Amino acid sequence: MKARLFGHTGRSVGEVGLGTWQLGANWGNVTDDVALATLRAAWDAGTTLFDTADVYGAGRSETLIGRFLRETRAKVFVATKLGRFSPPGWPGNFTRAAIREHTEASLRRLGVETLDLTQLHCIPFEVLQRGEVFEHLRELKREGKIRDFGVSVESMAEADFCVRQPGLASLQIIFNVFRQKPIHTLFAEARQRNVALLVRLPLASGLLAGKFTTATTFPADDHRNFNRDGQQFNVGETFAGLPFAKGVALADALKPLVPAGLTLAELALRWCLDFEAVSVIIPGAKNPEQARANVRASERSPLGPELHARLADFYRREVEPHIRGAY
């Protein structure tokens, strides 16, 4: 797999990482054995960055990654997140004491002495703007508890504020064919400041795999069932903020644009990788085959300017008016 520098950290990572929300909770049942096999398949295929969070399955995702690291001794860059775990929950999570407590818990679950990267996990904008949370993270870095820190954000207003914070290593954003705003509002600033960009939801919760129909159903514990209209958290985290039926129709409309030899999913992932500002994409996977399929996007050739122009026009005309939630 091709590698890219991760901002100013000096670390190099495979450009296709693995998001592990699926392995923790909220995507239907994934057994421990399947989860570990998925981590191994991704690693064997060249993935060197796993993205997780303390809240994914109340620590389950981190625990599984920790077990994988112990059993394989694999040198994986683990990017975790904090800020949404309960107890204490909001607003207690944003205190110095809570941030330290959650950091120590992640260290224990992952079985490491230092976290490669910890990210503030979509916490309220007003908390970010007060600034204390960044100083708490700087303190942890000085102590060697974390190597670097970043922020996972929901909107470009949040991204624009956070990218300017001293010492910030990374921003995690929603970016895909259905969510193109960061190209024009963030990419230049992130490159100028050498801030790494992690791209989550590159397949828009599976819409851009092109396999759903309006009759597709999801398990009760899958966020694509219980959060499709933002009932539990930011609607943008589910189907990129699009109403499900509209998202299915838009994905179907993209299929004639897919070049011969590619799947719609490969086009969607390759499209993200074609932007130099992107450091790593973190599609999720619920089984080993999905993990291996994600990696194949790194082997594909760039899509070319004509197709990029058509996809940009498609977004402006057909997609952008239907996006809901913070953006």
Side-chain angles (χ1 to χ4, degrees):
M1 186 195 298
K2 299 180 182 69
R4 302 188 184 197
L5 284 175
F6 195 80
H8 58 68
T9 68
R11 297 281 295 271
S12 180
V13 298
E15 63 185 4
V16 181
L18 178 69
T20 64
W21 184 12
Q22 283 89 335
L23 307 184
N26 303 139
W27 290 79
N29 183 52
V30 179
T31 67
D32 287 3
D33 287 346
V34 171
L36 290 165
T38 301
L39 294 171
R40 182 179 292 277
W43 168 255
D44 289 345
T47 293
T48 61
L49 183 147
F50 294 164
D51 179 81
T52 186
D54 57 3
V55 76
Y56 293 167
R60 180 175 183 245
S61 177
E62 287 184 330
T63 300
L64 287 165
I65 292 172
R67 179 177 165 186
F68 170 81
L69 296 177
R70 289 193 303 274
E71 292 177 355
T72 65
R73 305 295 180 184
K75 301 299 183 182
V76 177
F77 184 112
V78 179
T80 192
K81 297 185 282 294
L82 57 78
R84 305 186 73 89
F85 201 96
S86 184
W90 292 9
N93 276 350
F94 315 131
T95 65
R96 176 180 181 272
I99 286 175
R100 297 181 73 85
E101 178 183 347
H102 291 319
T103 297
E104 294 287 356
S106 289
L107 287 166
R108 289 193 298 271
R109 285 189 289 264
L110 290 166
V112 297
E113 294 182 357
T114 303
L115 299 177
D116 292 319
L117 179 75
T118 195
Q119 305 158 89
L120 298 172
H121 194 178
C122 299
I123 70 175
F125 195 7
E126 58 268 24
V127 175
L128 294 170
Q129 290 173 310
R130 289 202 297 268
E132 294 98 332
V133 287
F134 294 104
E135 186 50 44
H136 301 331
L137 295 176
R138 293 184 190 106
E139 182 181 30
L140 290 169
K141 181 174 179 177
R142 289 193 295 269
E143 294 176 5
K145 298 290 186 182
I146 63 175
R147 290 191 177 87
D148 288 290
F149 64 89
V151 187
S152 179
V153 298
E154 294 175 345
S155 73
M156 289 302 97
E158 294 167 350
D160 183 66
F161 174 81
C162 292
V163 76
R164 304 170 193 278
Q165 296 303 307
L168 189 85
S170 67
L171 281 169
Q172 185 176 138
I173 59 171
I174 301 172
F175 180 61
N176 56 53
V177 172
F178 290 159
R179 298 268 293 210
Q180 299 188 22
K181 187 176 180 180
I183 299 169
H184 311 290
T185 62
L186 177 64
F187 280 10
E189 192 72 26
R191 291 193 69 189
Q192 180 181 337
R193 295 177 181 272
N194 204 13
V195 171
L197 295 182
L198 294 93
V199 166
R200 71 181 184 273
L201 297 179
L203 294 177
S205 306
L207 279 177
L208 287 167
K211 297 179 180 179
F212 297 157
T213 71
T214 54
T216 300
T217 60
F218 303 94
D221 61 348
D222 190 316
H223 74 104
R224 294 172 293 183
N225 175 41
F226 66 76
N227 192 63
R228 64 171 56 194
D229 293 313
Q231 298 97 318
Q232 298 294 322
F233 44 82
N234 174 28
V235 69
E237 307 295 340
T238 305
F239 303 128
L242 293 169
F244 179 63
K246 185 64 178 180
V248 170
L250 290 169
D252 286 343
L254 284 174
K255 291 176 181 177
L257 301 182
V258 178
L262 291 185
T263 65
L264 178 58
E266 288 171 341
L267 175 145
L269 297 177
R270 182 65 251 175
W271 180 87
C272 295
L273 292 172
D274 283 353
F275 294 90
E276 292 183 5
V278 171
S279 303
V280 57
I281 61 174
I282 48 172
K286 293 176 63 176
N287 58 61
E289 178 48 40
Q290 288 180 355
R292 288 187 286 265
N294 291 338
V295 169
R296 287 196 282 270
S298 182
E299 304 166 2
R300 305 309 187 198
S301 299
L303 300 180
E306 181 179 349
L307 182 50
H308 270 279
R310 295 182 69 182
L311 292 170
D313 181 64
F314 178 84
Y315 162 77
R316 286 190 298 268
R317 288 185 298 101
E318 305 295 339
V319 182
E320 189 174 19
H322 302 283
I323 295 173
R324 303 170 296 172
Y327 187 31

